[in-house]
């Protein structure tokens, strides 16, 4: 069994070699299978029987779901990257990327909840020129789609967060860097050639936070995203099952030392952090007050899902609320993130911006959040699927596709700018 923990991931050459072998093996299997199916379908003997026609039809339909793209250009939606990532990544790494808590109930709810809302197109609006430009904290962005923080990106591609940074820069998307990244903030800022937002997991040692914030400030980061939804741990059963199924010897990357995970996370260098310090179950809103006292960075709170906490954010002088259930990886609430958005938007009442993530996969999903009052929509797994599939080129294609889909939906619904997207464009089923 591969020895890994929930936080505990990174690999370079090994990942590359295994991925390449699995990709080639898989491609060969697919080609052989397609040839066999074509042979079956063409056989005059079998063609005579209706059951064989049914067999061929069933097989080709299932092939549609398992089709593997060979270049980013072949992708028709972000799920094409998921299929490839699933087949190329080592199984434990794919488990880290894909799974949620308990039996994945919240993960599924994140997708299912979009079906609770339908769109209301208003016709005969001139949408010859659709513009997805958006503004957050006075900065203009090409798109309201933002790269959500995700740790350990070397587990998906040897270039890790550097590839993501280059892709996000090329496509003009804002990026939030996790503090459990496998590449340092300084290297990411250099790859992107401009500052990024910095996400902080708190520990119970105040000096760890202070040291990291000072380091972030030096890179020009002016927004701090505090993640508050893992303070009481999370039940990653499904991840455990994927790890159990991985027969590789992973000790080269995942040593048995108690703080092994932190040793591979450059933002923890010289901070004195220990894994035991990640027990932040005693954290309260005082932490936010203290943060406010030690930094001039804007503070965004990530992991808010209720009106009560949105109100707390406003009362504690937070600069933006980030609605998220961590992509179904925090508590098993069983509630889709899009269903949390309206109560948060109402509680905030336009005083500060609202960001949202968890389950966004299509232009329609993004449009729905904007119509419900979000100012920006962050994506997690889709860009990681792109990264695992083709590195920077994969992330770029995912971002382009989602931007393109959003622009198409805006045209269909009758909104030529993000400011034109209004509550009348959406209703609850
Ligand atoms: C592999 C992976 C690693 C993540 N690491 C972090 C992290 O370090 N910090 C954080 O605040 N959120 C982290 N998240 C959560 C994302 O920021 C985001 O909330 C979530 O992925 C959004 O849901 P989606 O993946 O369905 O788009 C991670 C998510 C994934 C899938």
């Amino acid at each position: 069994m591969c020895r890994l923990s929930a936080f505990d991931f990174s690999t370079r050459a090994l990942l590359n070699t295994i991925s390449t072998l699995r990709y080639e093996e898989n491609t060969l299997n697919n080609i052989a299978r397609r040839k066999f199916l074509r042979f079956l379908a063409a056989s005059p003997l079998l063609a005579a029987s209706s059951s064989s026609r049914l067999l061929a039809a069933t097989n080709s339909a299932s092939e549609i779901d398992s089709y593997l793209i060979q270049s980013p250009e072949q992708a028709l939606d972000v799920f094409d990257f998921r299929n490839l990532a699933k087949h190329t990544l080592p199984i434990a790494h794919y488990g880290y990327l894909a799974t949620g808590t308990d039996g994945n109930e919240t993960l599924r709810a994140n997708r299912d909840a979009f079906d609770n809302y339908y769109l209301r197109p208003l016709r005969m609006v001139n949408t010859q020129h659709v513009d997805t430009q958006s503004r957050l904290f006075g900065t203009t962005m090409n798109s309201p789609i933002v790269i959500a923080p995700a740790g350990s990106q070397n587990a998906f591609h040897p270039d890790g967060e550097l590839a993501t940074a280059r892709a996000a820069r090329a496509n003009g998307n804002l990026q939030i860097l996790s503090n459990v990244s496998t590449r340092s903030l300084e290297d990411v800022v250099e790859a992107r050639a401009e500052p990024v937002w910095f996400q902080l997991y708190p520990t119970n040692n105040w000096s760890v936070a202070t040291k990291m914030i000072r380091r972030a400030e030096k890179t020009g980061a002016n927004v701090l995203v505090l993640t508050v939804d893992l303070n009481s741990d999370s039940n990653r059963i499904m991840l455990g099952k994927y790890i159990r199924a991985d027969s590789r010897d992973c000790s080269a990357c995942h040593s048995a030392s108690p703080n092994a995970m932190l040793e591979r996370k450059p933002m923890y260098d010289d901070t004195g952090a220990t894994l035991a310090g990640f027990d932040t179950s005693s954290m309260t809103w005082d932490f936010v007050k203290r943060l406010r006292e030690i930094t001039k960075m804007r503070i965004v709170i990530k992991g808010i899902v209720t009106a009560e906490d949105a109100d707390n954010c406003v009362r504690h002088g937070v600069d933006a609320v980030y609605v998220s259930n961590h992509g179904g990886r925090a508590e098993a609430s069983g509630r889709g993130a899009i269903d949390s958005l309206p109560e948060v938007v109402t509680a905030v009442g336009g005083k500060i911006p609202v960001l949202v993530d968890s389950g966004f996969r299509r232009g329609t999903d993004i449009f729905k959040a904007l119509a419900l009052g979000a100012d920006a929509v962050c994506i997690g797994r889709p860009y990681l699927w792109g990264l695992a599939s083709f590195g920077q080129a994969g992330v770029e294609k995912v971002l382009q596709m989602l931007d393109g889909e959003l622009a198409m939906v805006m045209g269909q619904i009758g909104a030529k700018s993000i400011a034109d997207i209004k509550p009348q464009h959406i209703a609850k089923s």
Side-chain angles (χ1 to χ4, degrees), residues 179-200:
N179 72 338
V180 291
S181 55
T182 33
R183 299 308 186 106
S184 71
L185 176 60
E186 293 80 1
D187 287 350
V188 166
V189 170
E190 191 185 325
R192 186 171 169 125
E194 64 184 2
V196 296
W197 291 15
F198 182 61
Q199 176 262 323
L200 180 76

Side-chain angles (χ1 to χ4, degrees), residues 71-273:
S71 70
E73 293 68 40
Q74 288 179 343
L76 297 176
D77 63 12
V78 298
F79 294 107
D80 275 335
F81 292 98
R82 181 194 59 188
N83 291 350
L84 187 55
K86 190 172 183 177
H87 283 83
T88 53
L89 285 176
I91 189 164
H93 290 206
Y94 184 72
Y96 172 58
L97 168 52
T99 55
T101 48
D102 283 8
N104 285 342
E105 289 81 3
T106 312
L107 185 78
R108 281 195 300 277
N110 278 339
R111 291 297 303 141
D112 293 347
F114 286 108
D115 295 342
N116 299 334
Y117 301 86
Y118 61 88
L119 297 177
R120 300 184 68 249
L122 299 177
R123 309 293 184 201
M124 308 297 270
V125 178
N126 182 347
T127 52
Q128 200 177 10
H129 301 289
V130 168
D131 186 355
T132 59
Q133 273 197 0
S134 315
R135 282 176 74 75
L136 260 185
F137 297 145
T139 304
T140 303
M141 313 175 295
N142 280 359
S143 152
I145 301 170
V146 175
I147 294 278
S152 309
Q153 293 185 26
N154 268 34
F156 310 126
H157 189 275
D159 294 339
E161 291 85 358
L162 303 185
T164 302
R166 292 183 188 116
R169 167 69 194 233
N171 201 55
N173 297 82
L174 177 72
Q175 175 182 9
I176 308 172
L177 185 77
S178 162
N179 72 338
V180 291
S181 55
T182 33
R183 299 308 186 106
S184 71
L185 176 60
E186 293 80 1
D187 287 350
V188 166
V189 170
E190 191 185 325
R192 186 171 169 125
E194 64 184 2
V196 296
W197 291 15
F198 182 61
Q199 176 262 323
L200 180 76
Y201 275 124
T203 67
N204 57 24
N205 179 348
W206 184 248
S207 84
V208 175
T210 313
K211 283 179 182 158
M212 268 192 217
I213 288 169
R214 295 289 169 258
R215 204 170 148 184
E217 287 169 341
K218 272 197 196 139
T219 68
N222 58 7
V223 181
L224 182 71
V225 178
L226 178 71
T227 299
V228 299
D229 56 13
L230 286 184
N231 291 350
S232 296
D233 215 345
S234 65
N235 199 22
R236 306 265 177 104
I237 293 172
M238 300 308 288
L239 171 59
K241 296 196 180 196
Y242 276 77
I243 292 173
R244 197 166 60 186
D246 197 325
S247 56
R248 297 167 307 139
D249 173 7
C250 302
S251 52
C253 295
H254 303 277
S255 83
S257 116
N259 290 319
M261 185 281 275
L262 294 179
E263 285 156 16
R264 296 191 317 278
K265 302 289 185 275
M267 293 313 293
Y268 288 88
D269 289 354
D270 305 320
T271 60

